[in-house]
Amino acid sequence: MDTLFSNVERYKRNLNAPLAVRMRPQTLDGYVGQEAAVGEGSWLRRAIEQDALSSIILYGPAGTGKTTLARIIANTSHAAFVEVSAVTGTVKDLRQAIDAAESRLLTTGQRTILFIDEIHRFNRTQQDALLHAVEDRVVVLVGATTENPFFEVNSALISRSRVIELTVLSDDAIRTLIDRALADEHGLAGRFSLEEDAEDEIVTLAGGDGRAALTTLELASQMAMPSGGDAPSDPVVITREHVIDANPRRGLSYDKHGDMHYDIISAFIKSMRGSDPDAALYWLARMIDAGEDPKFIARRIMICASEDIGNADPQALLVAEAAFKATEVIGYPECRINLAQAAIYNCLAPKSNAAEMGIDAALEEVRRGPRREVPAHLRDRHRPGSDEYGPYLYPHNYPAGWVEQRYLPDGLERGAFYTPGPRGWEAWRAEAASRDRLEQDEGQ
């Protein structure tokens, strides 16, 4: 059975390797979390255990075990395991690896597993170079990516592979990693103990990232170690203060161009739509803390002001526009207050989606309905023959500033597109308009 490194090589590497690397399990029995992907009875687990793996793409956030799973495959498979860097690799590198795999298959019958970490970093040409080799099973592809493969990986390559999604680790899984690292001979080997609130702090700081949890633990152990002299005989206690000193600022995952970016802005918008100012402020803070472009946030607030509030409170759009202007002329950090004010206003404002629903319905009619002519009395009068168009009734000539008159083309009736919401200024104006029509009818 081929392994990625011999025992001697592994020992030498572990001498100076980070704790997260030293604690990588060699088999599925030591793999923590991801029950849905590799739990008992799952397809991937059976494929690994039976050494019958077909091409897969491992997709999930950082620190969820993608590379570790690839190493386990390398350690348990009889196939040759080859890794090509997606950062420095070229088409030439891929073709050399594929040619070597084909030669290996023809001469010895040995399969080749080709591991490409961060496969989304390969451009389309590089990804295309893999297609025939994957389709003909010259290589079994194991790709790993933090980006949604359905957006970042060629559809042809996805169709030849199975996408396995890994999720952020649960708090219990993170605790298991920590406890194992404290005791394992390849980890801290029982030389440290961890106070309960210190473990809680590491779990919170990790945010579901196993690598981050082990890195914080390693740094905290260095902070706890007494300076100078030999190591104490009793385990050194790691406190919450050591953890905070080692990692003073929590960095929640956020990618300005990835799934997390879209998930958080989606949560922010839905919180404003749902009239929850606390949730809106939380998601706003996540974006601000990650350095999101404030103009991007302000644009979403402006959209929400029309899409979800509309004429229930026309002032919402003005507040949102002012917040956008503030991001341009003020910037961070002060514009966070302007963004917060606008977001809270959107949350507290009465809601109506009548504007969005109305224009979408009208567009659907325009695009799919029949051609409809402008009523004659509404046409431009600056042309010969316009005297035959019929009278246009000028609303300002009537007491209510309104007069019954047809504005829609034939075949469409009032209410075809616009239905006023039951809240705020829009509802009040709809009621007032109904009264005006009723008064005019009674007057006639």
Side-chain angles (χ1 to χ4, degrees):
M1 180 184 296
D2 287 341
T3 60
L4 192 61
F5 307 115
S6 69
N7 289 334
V8 174
E9 289 172 329
R10 185 177 297 111
Y11 173 76
K12 289 180 178 179
R13 287 174 181 270
N14 279 348
L15 288 178
N16 293 304
L19 178 62
V21 173
R22 301 201 306 271
M23 289 307 303
R24 273 190 177 140
Q26 303 300 308
T27 66
L28 284 174
D29 290 337
Y31 192 69
V32 175
Q34 310 305 342
E35 289 298 318
V38 291
E40 292 293 338
S42 66
W43 168 83
L44 182 56
R45 190 181 190 92
R46 292 198 303 269
I48 294 173
E49 291 176 340
Q50 297 170 10
D51 199 10
L53 189 69
S54 58
S55 293
I56 59 173
I57 296 176
L58 303 174
Y59 159 50
T64 52
K66 299 184 295 298
T67 302
T68 296
L69 193 52
R71 303 299 183 201
I72 290 173
I73 293 170
N75 291 328
T76 57
S77 176
H78 288 86
F81 190 86
V82 177
E83 181 174 354
V84 173
S85 172
V87 177
T88 60
T90 64
V91 172
K92 181 180 179 182
D93 295 327
L94 286 176
R95 287 175 177 162
Q96 287 177 344
I98 292 169
D99 289 343
E102 187 170 21
S103 175
R104 194 179 296 116
L105 185 64
L106 294 175
T107 56
T108 67
Q110 186 184 33
R111 298 179 306 131
T112 299
I113 294 176
L114 177 61
F115 175 52
I116 304 177
D117 199 7
E118 301 297 332
I119 190 173
H120 64 275
R121 294 180 180 270
F122 273 156
N123 59 37
R124 295 293 177 179
T125 301
Q126 290 168 308
Q127 292 183 27
D128 286 341
L130 293 165
L131 290 178
H132 291 301
V134 172
E135 185 172 31
D136 298 338
R137 289 208 175 176
V138 173
V139 298
V140 174
L141 172 67
V142 176
T145 176
T146 56
E147 304 294 332
N148 192 325
F150 295 100
F151 295 135
E152 301 296 336
V153 178
N154 283 6
S155 58
L157 195 57
I158 288 179
S159 70
R160 292 162 172 79
S161 310
R162 180 163 178 169
V163 175
I164 305 294
E165 184 171 2
L166 306 183
T167 58
V168 293
L169 297 179
S170 67
D171 288 353
D172 287 342
I174 295 291
R175 293 181 193 279
T176 298
L177 290 176
I178 293 171
D179 294 343
R180 183 182 296 175
L182 285 168
D184 194 280
E185 62 177 346
H186 297 296
L188 299 181
R191 292 178 286 113
F192 296 87
S193 65
L194 192 63
E195 291 186 348
E196 184 176 348
D197 59 349
E199 183 175 76
D200 292 341
E201 187 68 21
I202 293 176
V203 171
T204 299
L205 288 168
D209 185 328
R211 186 188 302 109
L214 294 178
T215 300
T216 299
L217 174 62
E218 183 175 29
L219 295 174
S221 69
Q222 296 168 0
M223 298 297 297
M225 181 64 74
S227 57
D230 297 331
S233 57
D234 295 329
V236 176
V237 177
I238 301 174
T239 67
R240 182 173 180 270
E241 286 68 30
H242 292 136
V243 173
I244 294 174
D245 288 342
N247 195 348
R249 186 183 184 279
R250 182 185 185 189
L252 293 176
S253 59
Y254 189 87
D255 185 338
K256 292 184 182 180
H257 306 289
D259 287 350
M260 188 65 70
H261 163 84
Y262 294 106
D263 286 346
I264 290 181
I265 194 64
S266 177
F268 176 60
I269 294 166
K270 289 180 173 68
S271 298
M272 290 189 292
R273 180 184 298 144
S275 302
D276 189 331
D278 293 298
L281 286 173
Y282 174 79
W283 298 119
L284 175 61
R286 285 283 296 271
M287 290 186 286
I288 292 173
D289 183 66
E292 179 61 81
D293 181 358
K295 292 192 291 296
F296 168 77
I297 301 173
R299 284 194 294 269
R300 303 312 301 179
I301 295 174
M302 289 181 72
I303 293 170
C304 178
S306 288
E307 179 180 354
D308 297 306
I309 298 169
N311 288 320
D313 184 354
Q315 187 74 14
L317 183 58
L318 301 181
V319 172
E321 194 274 338
F324 181 84
K325 188 65 177 178
T327 65
E328 290 187 311
V329 300
I330 298 175
Y332 283 143
E334 286 81 2
C335 78
R336 76 190 190 283
I337 307 169
N338 308 111
L339 293 171
Q341 179 185 353
I344 293 171
Y345 192 100
N346 274 12
C347 289
L348 301 180
K351 303 298 190 291
S352 171
N353 67 347
E356 181 203 14
M357 298 294 289
I359 188 58
D360 287 350
L363 285 170
E364 180 71 11
E365 165 62 29
V366 167
R367 291 165 180 167
R368 298 185 181 276
R371 174 186 171 88
R372 302 185 190 277
E373 300 298 333
V374 176
H377 60 281
L378 298 183
R379 293 179 184 174
D380 178 62
R381 300 281 172 163
H382 299 87
R383 62 165 66 100
S386 60
D387 292 342
E388 305 297 326
Y389 288 170
Y392 164 67
L393 305 181
Y394 189 54
H396 295 289
N397 289 338
Y398 296 82
W402 177 88
V403 61
E404 182 64 52
Q405 182 169 219
R406 185 171 185 84
Y407 294 97
L408 283 165
D410 290 340
L412 295 174
E413 300 300 328
R414 182 180 292 128
F417 310 120
Y418 173 64
T419 302
R423 291 169 292 277
W425 183 87
E426 186 172 45
W428 176 78
R429 280 303 306 143
E431 292 173 2
S434 295
R435 289 195 301 270
D436 290 343
R437 293 189 182 95
L438 181 61
E439 290 173 0
Q440 187 180 69
D441 290 342
E442 290 175 349
Q444 292 175 349

